[in-house]
Amino acid sequence: MTYSASPVIGLRVFIVEDETLIALMLETMLEELGCIVLGVAGSVAEALRSLDGPAAQADAAILDINIGGEKVYPVADALGERGVPYLFATGYGREGLGELYPRRIVLPKPYTQGVLAQALVELRAQSG
């Protein structure tokens, strides 16, 4: 199901996800919502490098918490320093974050396109 009238149309999104199939599914969902995917990084190092390129223009970022056994927190902190809103995607729920980012939106895996859209709307509302 697509959400052509979605308030996230034109939102520029950066993805950090190490599972190729999940990254492709997320990219497709975002494009169907009318978002513009600026890039997909599959490692923390790649994500940090991407922040010096097109990803620096992101309106939002979706971060998987566990990237190849490494926590994505350095990317979250770098995005925060740049003023880029982000949310976490995880199969572990809020508990997977611990106490580190108590006010961040958590997108529970697996998610539907509708849940993704709602999380992005909420993220925009928090940051705007």
Side-chain angles (χ1 to χ4, degrees):
M1 176 177 207
T2 61
Y3 298 81
S4 60
S6 172
V8 298
I9 290 174
L11 189 71
R12 297 169 299 178
V13 183
F14 176 53
I15 301 168
V16 182
E17 172 62 65
D18 63 332
E19 296 290 334
T20 304
L21 290 178
I22 293 172
L24 289 171
M25 178 195 71
L26 178 54
E27 190 171 5
T28 299
M29 285 182 176
L30 288 167
E31 289 171 351
E32 288 178 355
L33 288 169
C35 297
I36 300 161
V37 177
L38 295 180
V40 178
S43 71
V44 169
E46 180 184 2
L48 291 171
R49 283 191 306 272
S50 295
L51 293 179
D52 291 328
Q57 303 302 314
D59 298 314
I62 300 173
L63 312 176
D64 182 13
I65 292 176
N66 187 3
I67 302 294
E70 187 176 2
K71 298 295 184 191
V72 76
Y73 304 145
V75 180
D77 295 340
L79 287 165
E81 289 170 8
R82 289 168 167 82
V84 177
Y86 59 90
L87 59 81
F88 292 106
T90 181
Y92 300 106
R94 179 152 301 282
E95 296 78 31
L97 274 177
E99 302 289 324
L100 294 175
Y101 301 88
R103 292 187 277 291
R104 290 293 168 187
I105 296 168
V106 174
L107 180 63
K109 289 180 178 179
Y111 46 83
T112 63
Q113 190 174 46
V115 171
L116 171 63
Q118 185 56 44
L120 290 171
V121 167
E122 187 178 338
L123 184 63
R124 284 192 95 168
Q126 278 185 357
S127 62

